[in-house]
Amino acid sequence: MSLSFANSIAAHSRARALVPLCVGACVYLFYLYLGDTRLQDSDTFWQVKIGQWILDHRAMPTTDLYSFTRTGAPWISTSWLSQVLFAWSHAQLDWAGPVILTAVAVAITVAIFVYLLDAQIEAPRAVLFAMLALLLSTHHVLARPHILALPVMVAWVGVLMAAADRKSAPSWSWLPLMALWANLHGGFVLGLALIGPISLEAIEHAGKGRRLALFTRWVLFGIGALAASCLTPYGWRTLLGATNILGLGELLSLIFEWMPANFSTFTPFEGALLGLIAFGYYRGLVLSAPRIFLILFLTWGALTHVRSIEAFAFLVPLVLAKPLGEMFPRTAPDPVDAGRWPARTVTALGALMIVAASWTSTSLYMGHHRFTFTTTHTPVAAVDLLEQRKVQRVFNAYQFGGYLISRDIPVFVDGRAELYGEKFVMDFFKATEGKKPELLPRLLDEYKIDATLLVADAPGPQILDQLKGWKRIYTDDIAVIHVRDHAGSATATPSK
């Protein structure tokens, strides 16, 4: 009887591996169906363009290649591997490639997340946490490098927390995860920063005679992780490049993903914070000092920059997993006969069926659906006109920079804010948003601008309408073009 019961527990444990796979497959199909909404950030254009340049030249960019305001200035790509993957997928499947890649990355993230939580809490609760994490993160699930790094982030923190829960140090065999993360996205610095507080969790609960040895092992692991993060084509410069954007000061408050959280209207993030506080009070949740620090640190990051909300959403549950597991113990599985089919075989067959079903669904959906980029970031007709007029120097809106790069038109500015610097981009925003309109003619003259390409509903075009020496030649719902009066004698194109 005891042997049968042990076998049934083993079968139950192995069969649980299908839960993360099933949830991941559902998430993949969901984001595949919503694929067009993942193509709404103009930075995706230049990410693909840089990736294609790397593939074509078999080299890494070290200077700016795409603007006329910073041509030749030092610049490195801290997301080069993600950019190559996006470029390769785009070359194979057009925009369906980046969409599928994004959906796969989110699916793998959720599968790893559920698997890690399932080691501590019941599967239904793990799945619920996964759905809440997706709800909080969905605004930032875009076809961009940070999404390809998301599963690595979850796996890395999961490995560290699992080691802390065991009162031990992580194995050095996990260091390649950090190297992979450093090549995918600059967010790897978060993984380095979390080593310290997570190590304190392990050391605090270890026996007094083991603390010094355990501290030494964590320090060595941290040094190894720092070294692994430099295993990129740029070496130690990757660390510097990944942190450059944090020095942009006031500018960060104007770039949406770097803005602080806004509670003027109710958001899922606000609900999550209130729910976390309410749960802590209601259940009397008691946490160690390092876990409290981790939660406060992740909360501070999410409050400071909305782009950090997904880190809060996926990492806070990993920090809480063990305390929640102790608060809500698992129920023992029913002692049922495992049957003729070993659980390992059933799990493998189930996994193959899930992958096959997902692939078939993808093929069928792509057979009658063509993924396209959100039109508000693609001023196609306006750029066609600029090319017809052979304009050389275009003063473009910030959000149009990526699209212009994709059309091989040198830009005034684009999403690589760290390249241009705080003052340059702040002057640009102040000039085009009407905060300091007197800056606009100075910038146009200083950079010898031939034409402007600005957002239709922004103050910039209205300022240019009143500016002597400039005339509006094109308007549609997306963009407005102004040229100098002496830019040519061609008849103005009618507004649309």
Side-chain angles (χ1 to χ4, degrees):
M1 176 66 180
S2 60
L3 181 60
S4 174
F5 182 69
N7 287 339
S8 69
I9 292 177
H12 182 269
S13 177
R14 291 169 184 169
R16 285 210 314 263
L18 286 178
V19 174
L21 288 172
C22 288
V23 177
C26 291
V27 169
Y28 166 76
L29 293 175
F30 176 74
Y31 279 103
L32 180 70
Y33 177 73
L34 296 178
D36 291 319
T37 62
R38 305 307 98 189
L39 298 172
Q40 55 181 333
D41 191 314
S42 62
D43 282 359
T44 302
F45 284 113
W46 64 259
Q47 302 281 5
V48 170
K49 191 72 174 180
I50 290 172
Q52 192 57 57
W53 186 92
I54 294 172
L55 289 173
D56 291 342
H57 294 81
R58 297 294 190 271
M60 304 299 298
T62 55
T63 59
D64 173 46
L65 303 168
Y66 300 108
S67 78
F68 62 84
T69 52
R70 290 292 186 271
T71 303
W75 181 81
I76 64 172
S77 174
T78 56
S79 302
W80 75 272
L81 183 55
S82 294
Q83 291 160 349
V84 165
L85 292 173
F86 276 128
W88 178 83
S89 64
H90 182 266
Q92 302 300 312
L93 300 169
D94 198 36
W95 285 115
V99 167
I100 292 173
L101 206 55
T102 300
V104 168
V106 179
I108 294 174
T109 300
V110 170
I112 294 172
F113 181 71
V114 172
Y115 176 80
L116 291 170
L117 289 182
D118 190 42
Q120 300 285 355
I121 63 178
E122 296 283 359
R125 291 192 177 99
V127 174
L128 176 61
F129 272 120
M131 296 304 101
L132 291 174
L134 283 178
L135 177 63
L136 293 178
S137 308
T138 191
H139 71 285
H140 206 216
V141 177
L142 303 165
R144 285 180 46 194
H146 69 278
I147 291 299
L148 301 192
L150 196 58
V152 183
M153 178 188 75
V154 172
W156 175 260
V157 175
V159 166
L160 298 187
M161 288 306 307
D165 292 341
R166 296 191 307 268
K167 305 179 184 62
S168 64
S171 168
W172 284 55
S173 63
W174 291 109
L175 290 179
L177 266 182
M178 176 53 67
L180 175 61
W181 193 354
N183 285 280
L184 286 170
H185 187 254
F188 71 91
V189 293
L190 173 63
L192 295 174
L194 291 177
I195 294 174
I198 294 177
S199 70
L200 294 179
E201 171 67 16
I203 295 166
E204 179 181 313
H205 293 90
K208 289 185 178 180
R210 296 182 56 238
R211 288 179 180 174
L212 181 59
L214 188 57
F215 172 76
T216 303
R217 289 173 60 192
W218 273 95
V219 168
L220 292 175
F221 180 83
I223 295 172
L226 184 64
S229 71
C230 296
L231 296 179
T232 73
Y234 298 107
W236 64 270
R237 287 187 296 167
T238 301
L239 276 169
L240 186 62
T243 56
N244 276 344
I245 195 167
L246 298 177
L248 292 178
E250 182 186 2
L251 175 57
L252 293 181
S253 64
L254 298 180
I255 302 174
F256 172 74
E257 64 181 346
W258 289 98
M259 289 180 178
N262 183 0
F263 294 137
S264 60
T265 59
F266 189 81
T267 63
F269 176 53
E270 185 177 356
L273 281 179
L274 295 175
L276 182 61
I277 295 170
F279 178 81
Y281 276 115
Y282 181 71
R283 299 296 305 191
L285 185 62
V286 178
L287 301 175
S288 64
R291 289 185 195 267
I292 293 173
F293 175 82
L294 284 167
I295 292 173
L296 291 177
F297 175 73
L298 293 169
T299 303
W300 170 79
L303 290 171
T304 306
H305 306 299
V306 295
R307 67 171 294 147
S308 298
I309 290 178
E310 71 251 28
F312 170 89
F314 282 103
L315 301 187
V316 167
L318 296 180
V319 175
L320 292 174
K322 189 172 187 292
L324 290 177
E326 295 170 348
M327 183 176 289
F328 302 104
R330 287 182 179 278
T331 55
D334 295 330
V336 295
D337 186 7
R340 294 182 180 179
W341 291 86
R344 196 184 304 275
T345 303
V346 173
T347 301
L349 289 175
L352 288 174
M353 291 176 64
I354 291 170
V355 172
S358 299
W359 177 256
T360 302
S361 300
T362 301
S363 300
L364 292 173
Y365 186 63
M366 288 177 57
H368 63 82
H369 182 81
R370 183 175 179 271
F371 295 100
T372 56
F373 215 91
T374 305
T375 56
T376 54
H377 294 295
T378 52
V380 180
V383 175
D384 287 344
L385 177 60
L386 291 173
E387 286 188 330
Q388 291 172 17
R389 297 176 66 93
K390 295 181 171 55
V391 174
Q392 298 298 312
R393 300 168 79 86
V394 180
F395 184 85
N396 60 279
Y398 188 83
Q399 56 265 55
F400 292 158
Y403 181 68
L404 288 175
I405 288 175
S406 74
R407 295 280 295 264
D408 295 316
I409 296 176
V411 298
F412 182 87
V413 69
D414 62 84
R416 298 170 297 162
E418 73 281 6
L419 167 67
Y420 299 96
E422 178 184 4
K423 185 181 185 306
F424 179 90
V425 185
M426 284 301 302
D427 284 350
F428 168 82
F429 278 127
K430 289 175 181 177
T432 56
E433 296 299 323
K435 294 180 179 179
K436 284 190 176 181
E438 66 274 11
L439 287 175
L440 186 54
R442 180 175 69 79
L443 291 175
L444 298 177
D445 292 338
E446 180 180 347
Y447 290 97
K448 299 180 174 58
I449 302 300
D450 301 318
T452 67
L453 177 70
L454 300 176
V455 179
D457 58 358
Q462 283 69 45
I463 298 172
L464 279 163
D465 286 338
Q466 308 302 319
L467 196 60
K468 185 177 180 180
W470 290 86
K471 63 179 179 180
R472 183 185 295 224
I473 66 166
Y474 181 87
T475 304
D476 61 20
D477 294 335
I478 300 172
V480 176
I481 296 177
H482 284 77
V483 298
R484 293 186 185 272
D485 279 339
H486 57 78
S489 58
T491 304
T493 301
S495 298
K496 294 185 179 181

